[in-house]
Structures are given as C-alpha cells and as structure tokens.
Amino acid sequence: SSILLFNKVINSVKENQDINTVNTIDIINSIEEYIKKENIFSVNEEFDDLDPQNIIFLLIPRIKGECLLKESGKNRISNLSKVIVLYDAFLSLTNSYKLIDSVLKKILKKQKTNKDTRIIDRESKIELYNEEKRLSSELNNFGIKEDVKKYWMTNIKIYISKTINELPYLFQE
C-alpha cells in the first residue's frame, strides 16, 4: 500500500538513515502519481474532510525535499533550488488546509518579506523553537491509535515549523 510505503520513507528520513535517494524519490514520485490519479486532495476541502489515512501524504513535498538534501555532489545547487520549491509547496499545501497557525503565519509573513534570504529575526527563531517543543510534547502525550488525525496534524505542524526554520539556511548555502 502507498501509505505503508510512504510511512517507511518518512521513518527512514526522520531517523537519518542512509537511503538510496534516487530510489526513494522514485517511490515518492509513484506515490504522487497515485495521489493525482485518485484525486486525494482537493482545493474545495478542509483538513477535517480528509480521510485520516491520506493525511500523511501532505508531507510528500517536505520529505521529497529532505531526500534531495541528502544528495551531494555536482547537483547540489540545483537540488537546493528544488528543495526550496518543494518546501514552499509544502507550506502552501498545509496553509490551504489551514494547518499553519497564527504564530507561524506571522513568522512566515516576516520571512517572505526577506524574499532572497528568508532570514528571520531572533525573536521569531525563539518562537519557532518554543512551538516545536510544545508540539513535540503534545505528540508525546498521545499515540497514533488514539487519534490518527490529531497525531498527523501535530506531526505536520512540527514539519511546518522546521521548514520555516530551515529555509534561511537553504538560501545561505
């Protein structure tokens, strides 16, 4: 199943395991084709309308970006540009499902004013850190079996925070 396969990809990337990036990206591309074919996401729906099993797929652009970051060599600059596009796509997708709360939206708005660097101020970095810490603590208080939607929503929000935090470093590199 695509869900199990993508879950394995997420765990491999999350645990920083050595992965065959080309093979992993091929897997992600095939899952993306499945999502398009099955019309899993629609601009007309809200997060609560999503099938709990499919929520994990909101992470595809982010995880694909992480895989590209693991590749080094002559394609590094090209990959960095692709990662920025994928991270922006992830933020746009999650925003369309209203998963970016007001604190993160404010930081993201500040960040977008620095379009060429995406640098954020110290206060915003502290807010991001505190938000990640709060969400991680929340995630540790319940499991996926208790509430699948809440589990994945919290995970996605952690990735949103990490994405906002990592974008300036991608521009610096």
Side-chain angles (χ1 to χ4, degrees):
S1 147
S2 294
I3 295 167
L4 292 174
L5 193 57
F6 189 60
N7 210 356
K8 284 182 182 178
V9 169
I10 289 174
N11 288 331
S12 296
V13 172
K14 209 181 220 183
E15 294 168 13
N16 224 357
Q17 294 175 356
D18 283 338
I19 57 171
N20 177 335
T21 53
V22 173
N23 187 32
T24 304
I25 290 172
D26 286 345
I27 291 168
I28 293 171
N29 288 339
S30 67
I31 294 170
E32 283 178 314
E33 288 302 314
Y34 163 78
I35 290 168
K36 286 177 190 168
K37 190 176 110 188
E38 298 297 320
N39 292 317
I40 290 178
F41 299 123
S42 167
V43 293
N44 301 328
E45 65 187 357
E46 294 183 15
F47 183 79
D48 289 337
D49 299 330
L50 290 174
D51 181 336
Q53 292 186 103
N54 295 331
I55 293 170
I56 190 174
F57 294 136
L58 290 170
L59 289 168
I60 283 180
R62 167 63 199 211
I63 300 300
K64 192 174 184 178
E66 282 190 55
C67 289
L68 284 172
L69 282 176
K70 291 180 182 292
E71 281 188 13
S72 56
K74 63 182 178 195
N75 293 331
R76 183 74 178 160
I77 293 174
S78 170
N79 282 350
L80 286 172
S81 296
K82 289 176 188 174
V83 172
I84 291 167
V85 169
L86 287 164
Y87 279 17
D88 281 340
F90 169 68
L91 292 171
S92 178
L93 179 62
T94 54
N95 190 42
S96 72
Y97 283 99
K98 296 176 177 62
L99 293 173
I100 301 179
D101 64 25
S102 59
V103 172
L104 295 178
K105 261 190 182 167
K106 183 181 81 175
I107 295 169
L108 192 56
K109 190 175 180 179
K110 277 188 208 176
Q111 191 179 55
K112 286 190 175 181
T113 61
N114 300 322
K115 199 174 185 174
D116 295 333
T117 61
R118 302 283 179 97
I119 290 177
I120 51 178
D121 58 30
R122 185 175 189 285
E123 180 184 311
S124 296
K125 285 181 183 183
I126 292 169
E127 285 182 78
L128 280 172
Y129 173 79
N130 288 335
E131 182 68 3
E132 264 184 66
K133 199 171 176 181
R134 183 190 66 75
L135 290 167
S136 293
S137 173
E138 189 178 303
L139 193 60
N140 290 332
N141 291 332
F142 65 91
I144 191 168
K145 291 178 180 148
E146 293 172 35
D147 187 342
V148 175
K149 276 194 171 185
K150 187 173 182 183
Y151 174 84
W152 282 113
M153 180 175 62
T154 306
N155 261 300
I156 289 166
K157 286 183 175 188
I158 290 169
Y159 274 104
I160 290 167
S161 181
K162 287 181 178 185
T163 302
I164 293 169
N165 193 36
E166 290 171 12
L167 274 168
Y169 301 108
L170 296 174
F171 277 87
Q172 287 175 1
E173 196 175 328

